[in-house]
Amino acid sequence: MKSEYSAKFGSPYPMGLSMRDGAINIVIEFPHSPKKVCGIILYTKNQEALRITFSDRFRIGTLYCVRLEGPQLTDFSYQFYVDDVVFCDPYARRIEGREVWGKPAGADSVA
């Protein structure tokens, strides 16, 4: 994914990721962020990744409020990271990638 985007200070509401006026508004809390590197990883459908580190200029207390604008910022999935730990958005409305859970029940199993 090309890194043709601009980052600006975003709106502090709503929490998580939302689309606003053709841009992505990101609000996430990183309680220990002053000592750690944190940000978002955007993935295209063919799994190209764009890692964006959040600057302290986007921080209010423990919240990061970032507005990303760019033509390529459509049809993507994402995860957040703190240092080397990658995790899902705790405010996500939908999670992809594990559409099937567990093993299918066999004819002799008790459901």
Side-chain angles (χ1 to χ4, degrees):
M1 177 184 284
K2 295 178 184 176
S3 58
E4 297 173 8
Y5 69 91
S6 65
K8 299 177 181 176
F9 191 83
S11 170
Y13 180 82
M15 294 293 286
L17 189 137
S18 60
M19 298 300 287
R20 286 187 153 199
D21 303 322
I24 302 169
N25 191 66
I26 304 163
V27 183
I28 187 75
E29 181 178 24
F30 292 120
H32 306 293
S33 59
K35 300 175 187 171
K36 300 187 183 255
V37 176
C38 53
I40 191 169
I41 305 169
L42 301 176
Y43 302 97
T44 63
K45 290 297 177 188
N46 60 0
Q47 295 304 308
E48 291 180 54
L50 173 61
R51 192 176 188 102
I52 300 170
T53 301
F54 295 156
S55 154
D56 280 344
R57 67 187 171 120
F58 302 125
R59 189 163 58 93
I60 302 173
T62 59
L63 288 182
Y64 279 85
C65 308
V66 183
R67 178 181 171 92
L68 295 178
E69 298 175 343
Q72 80 288 0
L73 298 176
T74 58
D75 200 22
F76 62 89
S77 56
Y78 67 98
Q79 292 179 305
F80 291 108
Y81 69 90
V82 174
D83 288 339
D84 294 328
V85 178
V86 177
F87 60 95
C88 286
D89 180 353
Y91 301 97
R93 293 175 191 88
R94 181 177 68 180
I95 305 222
E96 294 181 350
R98 294 292 297 201
E99 285 76 16
V100 178
W101 294 81
K103 297 179 184 177
D108 59 346
S109 69
V110 178

